[in-house]
Amino acid sequence: MNFKLNNKKLDEIKADASVVFVVDKNLKHKFVKADAKTLKFLGFDGSGICFVQESKTLYVGIEKLDLEEFRLGASKAYSALKKFNIKSIKMATYVSTCEKGSFSALVEGFLLGSYEFDKYKSEKTKSNLDKVVFSTAEIYGGEKISTQKVKLGIAQGEIIANATNFVKDIVNETPEIYTPQKMADDACELADSLKNVTCKVYDEDFLKEQKMGAFLAVNRSSALPPRLIHLIYKAPKAKKRVIFVGKGLTYDSGGLSLKPSDYMCTMKSDKSGGAAAMGIIMAASQLELPFEIHAIIGATENMIGGDSYKPDDVLISRSGVTIEVKNTDAEGRLVLADCLSYAQDFKPDILIDMATLTGACVVGLGEYTSGIMGENESLKEDFKQRSAKSGELISILHFNDYLKELIKSDIADVSNSASSRYGGAITAGLFLNKFIKDEYKDKWMHQDIAGPAFVQKAWGYNQAGASGAGVRMNIYYLNSLVREMK
């Protein structure tokens, strides 16, 4: 989809249809005036959508001049018009408090809303709509705009949305196709296509050399070997080193603690954290962020067989911490434990892991919200505030010493599964905390994206399936750090 600026008024711009946002049900605004009588006749009250055929104008209700409302409005507009025989639309310029952010959000809404994963469908639906023209002569929410900021906003929106949709493709792909080796190949291809990005891929021999006993145990019953993927984006004169560690379970059967069959149906999505780490590298490089950013991904399957690791086993992790296995379906934290240990060798200024880690997080927060955890309360609060404009929903979950008691083991340093079913998202975070060195505990944050990463029904501007969770909130966070440094 192409996005253009035009300094003419709307009635002077040629396009197949118009889109008008109705802000806070204001049906008296000049942009609505031409069709006011028709809208009243059709019962349109300023909420939802209404298409007026005579003027070829789609009216989309939004609550306020807000970045998330812009995303939702743009997505609704695309969904309503995609089946029409139109190639182009025009709309006025809608501006919140941030010009650049406004256009980034509008572009994100169109591109995220237009995503489809129809690779395996015989009949594919393709929209003709491929051009959006913004009139800079017609402005809602201000009097003047900076054309340069608008262009930067459009470019940023395209980069962030395309990186998110790139992640959706990975997560939606089937486990037969998307193996650990496929993830490694994609990472290498991504590095080759990007500026200042390198990729190293390590096999099971390297994992053995590194004594990654927890990671290797998870892989034992898979017919497919594991891969440790290490992407590095390094800007010239990088000002911070930020390391993302992603859970890359390309399929999770639960191992010997076998999942019920209906719970297995979405387990291709267990690679969402690793995929998000790749998407962040992609966006960071294209945005030319002034950081050194690493993406470390533990890619494997968790399968079942005669060589499966077992409840009652004790595993020795890379850091030397011993782990009593109580549940082989608590495997993601085992892979992350060794990957986090490896990540700390590179001395991060900020260390973030992302994982579809617990169903408990979904139970506690719902399907649409990620939980963030860690020992540094100010880091979590700062992240939440800086990433808020991304539109991704976040809740902070707090550690406490009472829950820490639940992962104690009588025979090892820690248990991979809590002795109580309650507080499971937090006890999983506390397990990971066991593998963070003291000097990095204030720099580390755990993001449980199990809820929004894969939802089996459409929501907002997200289709059923993968949402690319984690990409936008982390890129908005990094972007905010850049603005602060200027």
Side-chain angles (χ1 to χ4, degrees), residues 215-451:
F215 189 166
L216 286 165
V218 175
N219 177 256
R220 259 171 33 195
S221 280
S222 174
L224 305 172
R227 292 292 181 261
L228 178 66
I229 302 162
H230 191 169
L231 282 158
I232 304 172
Y233 159 70
K234 191 170 183 178
K237 299 180 182 179
K239 297 179 180 179
K240 281 184 185 290
R241 182 178 293 126
V242 186
I243 299 183
F244 292 92
V245 175
K247 174 185 172 185
L249 266 290
T250 57
Y251 194 72
D252 177 22
S253 71
L256 286 178
S257 304
L258 193 65
K259 295 177 184 287
S261 59
D262 55 341
Y263 279 75
M264 280 194 220
C265 285
T266 60
M267 282 302 101
K268 64 182 183 181
S269 69
D270 222 15
K271 57 186 179 287
S272 295
M278 291 168 64
I280 290 166
I281 289 285
M282 178 180 177
S285 172
Q286 292 172 345
L287 290 169
E288 298 183 340
L289 297 182
F291 302 121
E292 179 182 324
I293 301 176
H294 296 234
I296 296 169
I297 303 160
T300 181
E301 292 182 326
N302 183 29
M303 299 299 285
I304 190 168
D307 194 32
S308 295
Y309 78 114
K310 308 167 186 68
D312 285 343
D313 279 347
V314 173
L315 309 176
I316 302 174
S317 67
R318 181 182 187 271
S319 64
V321 175
T322 57
I323 306 164
E324 179 188 4
V325 177
K326 288 188 176 179
N327 186 337
T328 64
D329 196 22
E331 86 300 328
R333 65 199 70 179
L334 300 177
V335 174
L336 288 174
D338 280 342
C339 290
L340 282 166
S341 172
Y342 172 76
Q344 290 166 86
D345 288 356
F346 298 91
K347 299 179 180 179
D349 295 306
I350 301 171
L351 175 61
I352 296 172
D353 73 78
M354 298 178 293
T356 46
L357 205 62
T358 65
C361 198
V362 190
V363 172
L365 301 178
E367 292 177 298
Y368 313 114
T369 304
S370 294
I372 60 174
M373 289 160 257
E375 290 203 355
N376 189 333
E377 297 296 329
S378 61
L379 176 64
K380 292 181 291 185
E381 289 287 352
D382 186 56
F383 180 87
K384 185 176 180 181
Q385 290 177 17
R386 291 179 185 275
S387 64
K389 290 181 180 179
S390 73
E392 290 204 59
L393 300 173
I394 302 164
S395 282
I396 295 173
L397 300 176
H398 301 280
F399 289 165
N400 67 69
D401 289 338
Y402 299 105
L403 287 175
K404 197 180 293 184
E405 293 293 313
L406 302 180
I407 56 171
K408 282 189 172 181
S409 168
D410 291 333
I411 63 170
D413 297 327
V414 67
S415 170
N416 83 321
S417 185
S419 57
S420 168
R421 61 182 292 191
Y422 302 113
I426 300 174
T427 53
L430 285 165
F431 174 89
L432 295 178
N433 187 45
K434 190 80 175 176
F435 299 87
I436 305 298
K437 296 176 182 178
D438 289 343
E439 59 263 41
Y440 296 114
K441 286 192 184 294
D442 278 347
K443 301 176 180 181
W444 166 69
M445 188 185 345
H446 163 54
Q447 300 176 353
D448 192 332
I449 60 172

Side-chain angles (χ1 to χ4, degrees), residues 108-121:
E108 287 171 40
F110 279 113
L111 292 178
L112 295 173
S114 67
Y115 174 84
E116 288 187 33
F117 186 77
D118 58 4
K119 178 178 177 180
Y120 297 105
K121 288 188 175 183

Side-chain angles (χ1 to χ4, degrees), residues 100 156 233 235 239-240 242 284 287-293 350 386 474-486:
K100 179 180 173 182
Q156 176 179 290
Y233 159 70
K239 297 179 180 179
K240 281 184 185 290
V242 186
L287 290 169
E288 298 183 340
L289 297 182
F291 302 121
E292 179 182 324
I293 301 176
I350 301 171
R386 291 179 185 275
N474 283 294
I475 289 296
Y476 268 74
Y477 171 68
L478 294 174
N479 256 333
S480 178
L481 294 179
V482 173
R483 289 194 295 271
E484 189 177 83
M485 291 188 295
K486 288 181 178 180

Side-chain angles (χ1 to χ4, degrees), residues 24-307:
D24 193 25
K25 300 185 178 181
N26 182 5
L27 295 173
K28 295 182 179 180
H29 193 272
K30 65 178 182 178
F31 293 165
V32 188
K33 191 175 180 180
D35 287 320
K37 289 183 179 179
T38 303
L39 292 171
K40 184 177 180 181
F41 174 77
L42 294 172
F44 179 67
D45 66 354
S47 59
I49 61 173
C50 184
F51 185 72
V52 178
Q53 188 170 354
E54 290 80 7
S55 63
K56 294 183 180 177
T57 302
L58 178 72
Y59 292 90
V60 180
I62 65 173
E63 292 183 7
K64 54 186 175 181
L65 296 174
D66 172 82
L67 300 190
E68 185 67 354
E69 286 293 311
F70 288 171
R71 289 187 194 95
L72 291 166
S75 176
K76 287 177 184 177
Y78 179 86
S79 295
L81 297 174
K82 66 180 180 180
K83 293 183 180 179
F84 290 12
N85 188 25
I86 62 173
K87 294 183 178 180
S88 61
I89 59 174
K90 59 184 177 180
M91 60 188 298
T93 291
Y94 293 84
V95 185
S96 69
T97 55
C98 174
E99 291 171 343
K100 179 180 173 182
S102 297
F103 279 86
S104 181
L106 284 164
V107 170
E108 287 171 40
F110 279 113
L111 292 178
L112 295 173
S114 67
Y115 174 84
E116 288 187 33
F117 186 77
D118 58 4
K119 178 178 177 180
Y120 297 105
K121 288 188 175 183
S122 299
E123 295 183 10
K124 304 182 193 303
T125 57
K126 187 175 181 180
S127 173
N128 293 316
L129 179 55
D130 66 356
K131 185 178 180 182
V132 179
V133 182
F134 298 108
S135 167
T136 57
E138 307 265 22
I139 305 171
Y140 193 123
E143 295 181 359
K144 295 181 180 179
I145 58 172
S146 163
T147 303
Q148 180 63 22
K149 287 183 179 179
V150 169
K151 288 180 178 178
L152 288 172
I154 290 173
Q156 176 179 290
E158 289 179 306
I159 288 169
I160 293 173
N162 288 335
T164 304
N165 287 342
F166 167 79
V167 171
K168 290 181 189 178
D169 277 344
I170 292 174
V171 177
N172 282 326
E173 186 55 271
T174 63
E176 179 184 13
I177 300 297
Y178 216 87
T179 63
Q181 185 59 55
K182 169 64 172 168
M183 196 168 211
D185 292 343
D186 278 2
C188 291
E189 288 179 15
L190 182 66
D192 289 342
S193 70
L194 296 171
K195 187 178 179 181
N196 297 322
V197 178
T198 58
C199 182
K200 295 180 180 179
V201 177
Y202 301 103
D203 63 14
E204 58 272 30
D205 291 334
F206 178 81
L207 301 188
K208 290 172 185 174
E209 289 172 12
Q210 293 290 310
K211 299 181 180 178
M212 292 186 171
F215 189 166
L216 286 165
V218 175
N219 177 256
R220 259 171 33 195
S221 280
S222 174
L224 305 172
R227 292 292 181 261
L228 178 66
I229 302 162
H230 191 169
L231 282 158
I232 304 172
Y233 159 70
K234 191 170 183 178
K237 299 180 182 179
K239 297 179 180 179
K240 281 184 185 290
R241 182 178 293 126
V242 186
I243 299 183
F244 292 92
V245 175
K247 174 185 172 185
L249 266 290
T250 57
Y251 194 72
D252 177 22
S253 71
L256 286 178
S257 304
L258 193 65
K259 295 177 184 287
S261 59
D262 55 341
Y263 279 75
M264 280 194 220
C265 285
T266 60
M267 282 302 101
K268 64 182 183 181
S269 69
D270 222 15
K271 57 186 179 287
S272 295
M278 291 168 64
I280 290 166
I281 289 285
M282 178 180 177
S285 172
Q286 292 172 345
L287 290 169
E288 298 183 340
L289 297 182
F291 302 121
E292 179 182 324
I293 301 176
H294 296 234
I296 296 169
I297 303 160
T300 181
E301 292 182 326
N302 183 29
M303 299 299 285
I304 190 168
D307 194 32

